[in-house]
Amino acid sequence: MTNTETVTADVLPKNVNGVAVDDLAKTVDAIKATPAIAKFNFRIRNQWLDAAKNSSTVDTFYGAGQERSRSKPFVLEADEPPVLLGSDTAANPVEHLLHALAGCLTTSMIYHAAARGIQIEEVESALEGDIDLHGFLELDDNVRNGFQGIRVNFKIKADVPDEQLAQVCHLGTGHSPVFDSLTNGVPVRVTAERL
Amino acid sequence: MTNTETVTADVLPKNVNGVAVDDLAKTVDAIKATPAIAKFNFRIRNQWLDAAKNSSTVDTFYGAGQERSRSKPFVLEADEPPVLLGSDTAANPVEHLLHALAGCLTTSMIYHAAARGIQIEEVESALEGDIDLHGFLELDDNVRNGFQGIRVNFKIKADVPDEQLAQVCHLGTGHSPVFDSLTNGVPVRVTAERL
């Protein structure tokens, strides 16, 4: 990628796009020295409340060689709008999925731009995805339950010439864990036991 | 699936698991009469704030033949913990993805159990997924950026014999839009323009 290679640690500024790029370089060096610290395990716990309402608690995770936790757990809610028989107290699960995708593409872009010394001033994105309820409602076996397609449009204000705008965007798609998970699929094992 | 077929509308109770099953049956009938109303389009808008912090606004969607909006938009935040160079003000994008999956599996299970007259008393789930940063940090081409695998364990208290517990769980996996999207993948088109 022309003009977007990772610069070496000794010439890195301390902070680009709010990202401590010196710490990012140290993380890369630490993983090269001790590959096992690259392994992360993320977790949530969810509880059904009523109808379409449920709530997740986000707290602990494993990473960089040790168990970690937040000072206070984050709580994420889900519901459905009335047309989908919910009470509309929170975004629904597929909207949360779009948020996960937007957030991950954006952070991946910002971090990898920072590592290359590319200053980003503003990033906005609009996402949309199509679902046909013939799948969920078992009315047509040829219609999938999930998103048929998702479209993401980024608006970026950055210190790059026009021809590099797509390359900056590719820093997101080329590194994002959620983009990879969603476009290439993930093996999900589901088990159930009696409460 | 033994004993879990959808019962007909005339014998449906009004409400099972908090779900208005009579309205669910009406929705199915309405889609059979007018297939186009099954098409939904969900959207979010995301704005980068600083480093790993960004925020999504969830408001409008299209469904059942018309544009719809919430009385007040939902705001979803994202950040990263300090070990991933963030300021830990919110769950991170891959945790949001796990929440989307948990919420969608749970709601799908609850709705389809309701449609079959199966009363669910409690549902809890614990989700975890593994990510190896060798992918995101471009340290090993053989390591993917995304989740290597996700494990979901449900604990269910329901009025079913032991041998039907897995079938109740399958009502979630067999219908969930997020589960299908994540396990089978979704085409995602990403474009960028200058702000």
Side-chain angles (χ1 to χ4, degrees):
Chain A
M1 191 177 285
T2 315
N3 290 335
T4 56
E5 280 84 18
T6 306
V7 292
T8 52
D10 57 341
V11 299
L12 280 176
K14 188 168 168 50
N15 185 303
V16 180
N17 306 330
V19 180
V21 283
D22 45 354
D23 287 344
L24 187 54
K26 283 178 200 159
T27 300
V28 170
D29 289 343
I31 289 174
K32 284 179 181 170
T34 312
I37 64 171
K39 292 187 184 301
F40 278 67
N41 178 268
F42 294 101
R43 308 148 189 168
I44 67 155
R45 290 188 165 273
N46 184 277
Q47 183 164 27
W48 174 53
L49 301 172
D50 186 42
K53 289 178 70 171
N54 59 75
S55 170
S56 291
T57 304
V58 182
D59 185 2
T60 68
F61 65 98
Y62 177 89
Q66 63 185 74
E67 284 292 322
R68 295 167 187 276
S69 64
R70 272 60 180 248
S71 55
K72 203 178 87 172
F74 302 116
V75 177
L76 307 175
E77 308 286 352
D79 198 351
E80 294 287 349
V83 69
L84 293 171
L85 311 184
S87 49
D88 213 15
T89 58
N92 78 4
V94 298
E95 291 167 330
H96 280 283
L97 182 68
L98 294 178
H99 170 58
L101 179 60
C104 199
L105 283 170
T106 300
T107 297
S108 300
M109 183 192 304
I110 291 295
Y111 275 39
H112 280 276
R116 287 156 179 79
I118 302 169
Q119 294 195 357
I120 309 279
E121 291 177 56
E122 293 179 49
V123 179
E124 295 175 9
S125 56
L127 289 80
E128 62 171 344
D130 306 306
I131 290 180
D132 184 331
L133 287 188
H134 281 90
F136 178 82
L137 293 173
E138 298 181 327
L139 295 172
D140 186 343
D141 287 346
N142 295 315
V143 176
R144 69 180 298 177
N145 298 332
F147 276 118
Q148 298 178 312
I150 294 173
R151 294 168 295 284
V152 183
N153 186 57
F154 275 101
K155 292 188 178 179
I156 302 169
K157 188 174 180 186
D159 180 25
V160 295
D162 280 357
E163 61 272 21
Q164 276 191 33
L165 205 65
Q167 293 178 345
V168 170
C169 182
H170 184 72
L171 293 175
T173 54
H175 298 100
S176 161
V178 174
F179 181 80
D180 171 36
S181 298
L182 196 52
T183 55
N184 293 315
V186 175
V188 180
R189 184 165 60 87
V190 182
T191 52
E193 59 188 282
R194 198 173 278 283
L195 182 69
Chain B
M1 189 177 287
T2 315
N3 291 336
T4 57
E5 279 85 17
T6 305
V7 292
T8 52
D10 56 339
V11 298
L12 279 176
K14 186 167 171 49
N15 184 305
V16 180
N17 306 329
V19 180
V21 283
D22 46 353
D23 287 343
L24 188 55
K26 284 178 201 159
T27 300
V28 170
D29 288 344
I31 290 174
K32 283 179 181 169
T34 313
I37 65 170
K39 291 187 185 301
F40 278 67
N41 178 269
F42 294 101
R43 310 147 187 168
I44 66 155
R45 290 188 165 273
N46 184 276
Q47 183 164 27
W48 174 54
L49 301 172
D50 186 41
K53 288 178 69 170
N54 60 75
S55 171
S56 291
T57 304
V58 182
D59 185 3
T60 68
F61 66 99
Y62 177 89
Q66 64 185 72
E67 285 292 323
R68 295 167 187 274
S69 64
R70 271 61 179 248
S71 54
K72 203 178 86 171
F74 303 116
V75 177
L76 308 176
E77 308 286 352
D79 197 351
E80 293 287 350
V83 70
L84 294 171
L85 311 182
S87 50
D88 213 14
T89 58
N92 78 4
V94 298
E95 291 167 331
H96 281 284
L97 183 67
L98 294 179
H99 170 58
L101 178 60
C104 198
L105 282 171
T106 300
T107 298
S108 300
M109 183 192 304
I110 291 294
Y111 275 40
H112 280 276
R116 288 157 179 78
I118 302 170
Q119 294 195 356
I120 308 280
E121 291 178 55
E122 293 178 48
V123 180
E124 295 175 8
S125 56
L127 288 81
E128 61 171 343
D130 306 306
I131 290 181
D132 185 329
L133 287 188
H134 281 91
F136 178 81
L137 293 172
E138 299 182 329
L139 294 172
D140 186 342
D141 287 346
N142 295 316
V143 177
R144 70 181 298 178
N145 299 332
F147 276 118
Q148 299 178 311
I150 294 173
R151 294 169 294 285
V152 182
N153 186 57
F154 275 101
K155 292 187 179 178
I156 302 168
K157 188 173 178 184
D159 179 25
V160 295
D162 280 355
E163 61 272 20
Q164 275 191 33
L165 204 65
Q167 293 178 345
V168 170
C169 183
H170 184 71
L171 293 175
T173 55
H175 298 100
S176 161
V178 173
F179 181 80
D180 172 35
S181 298
L182 196 52
T183 54
N184 294 315
V186 175
V188 181
R189 184 164 61 87
V190 182
T191 52
E193 60 187 282
R194 200 174 277 284
L195 184 69

